């Protein structure tokens, strides 16, 4: 692999302007295993200048050529697939089986979906005597998180580039190795100079500089709502477009006619996947009050079936949290749940038995949760499920919507007609009915403080385009 201390700018691997280092910590061992460079404003300046210089020619390239580049990227990605899975497993502690089947797959899946969407995308259309043109918005700053590295990198880079934009990517400094590998893939695919650039570093020193830069036309950010607000404020000075996918506290409504065993078991595992570090995890489970005790027993069994262990072991189904900071936050919120009177069903504070090293936590389920408790309000970002009883479906809908977030909602029902009726009343960007397969062509994004804009396939392409009306075209 390329020297991890270098950045990828203007088609070449380059040293930072001012040498400074950040250690990359293996969350399973709590030890550093790699070092990256911490970028500065000077590095951002070089990358943005390269992207700006490349934009006129790249934006004028026919869509077919831009699609052809993505097809080459896809082919190279497939040859580095196992390398990518290993990189993600190491940097964020994802179990290797999960890293292969979900994390690394996300990158391939988004490339395939974006290619398919671009091939049928309406780049131009006529309305009377006016021609409507969809053109790349310009230079795009892409700021991505550590929890789903390839999912978020590819669902930004692919639509931006195929739309005719040039990009500067800042991966998370906590999990940066997969981003560096992706830069290698972009280079191997023959990406023209300046079309794709990568600068590592922290949010304040690189991310905010990118958001403020007058030569950046758009910022696409995925991360916490707190950080998203800072990005939006910074970008507002230059009136650039900002697309954001932020936090969530997603409800999972188990309706009275649902298969309770299946719904609760799958919903519990859905929270534990990725060690609970998913912005759209179904962390608030709403169950009929009459079946609350039954639901707790099912959830307990499901949580206790999770296999905690070394991420490199193919039998492991839950690895550590990503960092000491994240570990401390999850511990604080578990303690808050106990202190505020929720029933601890399983799990709780501390590390699992036999896991003294690594940021491992216990899969935790709380019952008798009310929606005013901290564990029902705050995004925990750990394997912690809150189960809330309700008396009527109307009450369940009200509880589901009683949150500042609106990224996703989940519905379990024996009646598709009932599920559709309830889905229309949920204030969330995505509603998942009865555990559907992952649809990479569905729009992904949030209501309320979960962000704005939509990602995936043609939805992502739209976000990276400007619309021009040429009146008198015909």
């Amino acid at each position: 692999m390329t020297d991890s201390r270098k950045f990828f700018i203007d088609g070449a691997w380059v040293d930072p302007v001012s040498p400074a280092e950040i250690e990359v910590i293996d969350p399973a061992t709590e030890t550093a295993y790699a070092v990256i460079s911490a970028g500065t404003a000077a590095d951002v300046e070089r990358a943005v200048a390269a992207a700006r210089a490349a934009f006129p020619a790249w934006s004028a390239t026919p869509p077919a050529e831009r699609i052809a580049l993505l097809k080459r990227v896809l082919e190279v990605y497939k040859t580095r697939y196992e390398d990518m899975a290993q990189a993600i497993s190491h940097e964020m502690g994802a179990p290797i089986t999960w890293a292969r089947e979900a994390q690394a797959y996300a990158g391939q899946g988004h490339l395939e979906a974006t290619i398919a969407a671009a091939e049928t995308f309406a780049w131009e259309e006529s309305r009377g005597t006016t021609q409507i043109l969809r053109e790349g918005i310009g230079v795009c700053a892409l700021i991505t998180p550590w929890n789903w590295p390839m999912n978020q990198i590819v669902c930004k880079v692919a639509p931006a580039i195929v739309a005719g934009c040039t990009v500067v990517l800042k991966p998370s400094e906590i999990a940066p190795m997969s981003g560096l590998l992706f830069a290698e893939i972009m280079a191997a695919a023959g990406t023209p100079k300046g079309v794709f650039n990568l600068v590592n570093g922290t949010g304040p020193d690189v991310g905010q500089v990118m958001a403020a830069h007058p030569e950046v036309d758009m910022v696409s950010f995925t991360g916490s709502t707190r950080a998203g607000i800072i990005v939006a404020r910074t970008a507002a000075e230059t009136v650039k477009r900002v697309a954001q996918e932020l936090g969530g506290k997603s409800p999972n409504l188990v309706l009275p006619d649902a298969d309770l065993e299946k719904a609760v078991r799958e919903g519990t595992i859905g929270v534990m996947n990725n060690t609970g570090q998913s912005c759209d995890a179904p962390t608030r489970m709403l169950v009929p009050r009459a079946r609350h005790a039954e639901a707790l027993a099912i959830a307990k069994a499901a949580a206790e079936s999770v296999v905690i262990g070394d991420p490199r072991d193919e039998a492991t189904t839950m690895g550590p949290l990503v960092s000491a900071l994240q570990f401390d936050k999850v511990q604080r919120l578990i303690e808050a749940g106990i202190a505020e009177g929720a029933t601890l069903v399983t799990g709780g504070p501390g590390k699992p038995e036999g896991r003294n090293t690594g940021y491992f936590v216990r899969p935790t389920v709380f019952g008798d949760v009310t929606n005013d408790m901290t564990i029902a309000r705050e995004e925990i970002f750990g394997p912690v499920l809150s189960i809330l009883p309700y008396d009527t479906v109307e009450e369940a809908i009200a509880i589901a919507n009683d949150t500042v977030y609106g990224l996703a909602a989940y519905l379990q029902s024996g009646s598709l007609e009932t599920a559709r009726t309830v889905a229309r009343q949920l204030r969330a960007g995505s509603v998942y009915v009865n555990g559907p397969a992952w649809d990479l062509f569905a729009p992904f994004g949030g209501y309320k403080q979960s962000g704005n804009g939509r990602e995936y396939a043609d939805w992502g392409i739209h976000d990276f385009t400007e619309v021009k009306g040429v009146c008198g075209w015909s």
Side-chain angles (χ1 to χ4, degrees), residues 334-354:
I334 290 173
E335 294 281 9
I338 295 169
E340 292 177 17
T343 299
L344 180 62
V345 177
T346 189
K351 294 184 176 182
E353 187 176 348

Side-chain angles (χ1 to χ4, degrees), residues 44 140-149 152-153 155-157 167-173 197 199 201-213 216 218-224 227-228 230-232 234-235 240 242-246 455 464:
V44 173
C140 299
L142 312 179
I143 304 171
T144 58
W146 49 261
N147 62 316
W148 281 91
Q152 291 306 134
I153 287 175
C155 79
K156 295 183 191 301
V157 172
V167 306
V168 181
L169 170 67
K170 190 203 90 67
S172 168
E173 69 276 18
N197 306 274
V199 177
T202 66
D205 292 337
V206 174
Q208 281 182 247
V209 175
M210 289 164 59
H213 201 292
V216 169
M218 175 178 171
V219 181
S220 180
F221 172 83
T222 297
S224 70
I230 295 170
V231 168
T234 305
K240 53 174 59 75
V242 179
Q244 299 183 315
E245 191 262 285
L246 306 175
E455 296 182 313
F464 287 102

